[in-house]
């Protein structure tokens, strides 16, 4: 038995070819955005490492909780409650679990 290639409509769940084309294009944009977001997160992690190294090198603590609260508030204000979860994930990626 040979496998047949799925049509664009079948691949996207759309009911028409026009909708399938729109979905396919939008998914390509999302993939490109995700790549940019991942790159920005990696850049943020590198900058955070520099900050932590400087803070620890000067005798300070690895984490500045008041700054983290500012970041949580900023994301919550911009994105609502899910923004807090996103910010927590970013903070964890950038400084590890506390």
């Amino acid at each position: 038995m040979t496998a047949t290639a799925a049509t664009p409509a079948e691949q996207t769940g759309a009911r028409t070819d026009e909708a399938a084309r729109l979905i396919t294009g939008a998914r390509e944009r999302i993939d490109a955005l995700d790549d940019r977001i991942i790159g920005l997160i990696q850049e943020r992690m590198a900058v955070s490492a520099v900050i932590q190294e400087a803070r620890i090198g000067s005798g300070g603590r690895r984490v500045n909780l008041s700054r983290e609260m500012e970041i949580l508030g900023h994301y919550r204000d911009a994105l609502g409650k899910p923004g807090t979860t996103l910010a927590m994930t970013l903070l964890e990626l950038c400084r590890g679990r506390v």
Side-chain angles (χ1 to χ4, degrees), residues 18-89:
E18 180 181 351
R21 284 190 296 276
L22 185 130
I23 291 167
T24 298
R27 284 180 175 173
E28 289 171 0
R29 286 186 60 205
I30 285 174
D31 290 344
L33 288 167
D34 285 343
D35 288 342
R36 288 172 49 198
I37 291 166
I38 290 167
L40 289 169
I41 291 169
Q42 291 169 331
E43 183 178 346
R44 189 188 194 288
M45 290 168 69
V47 172
S48 182
V50 169
I51 292 168
Q52 288 179 45
E53 188 175 304
R55 189 181 299 120
I56 291 168
S58 71
R61 298 173 55 116
R62 181 171 61 103
V63 175
N64 180 332
L65 294 179
S66 64
R67 173 64 178 149
E68 290 197 356
M69 293 305 294
E70 288 176 26
I71 293 166
L72 291 169
H74 180 69
Y75 275 78
R76 182 190 62 247
D77 292 347
L79 303 172
K81 186 178 177 185
T84 303
T85 303
L86 176 59
M88 287 297 297
T89 300

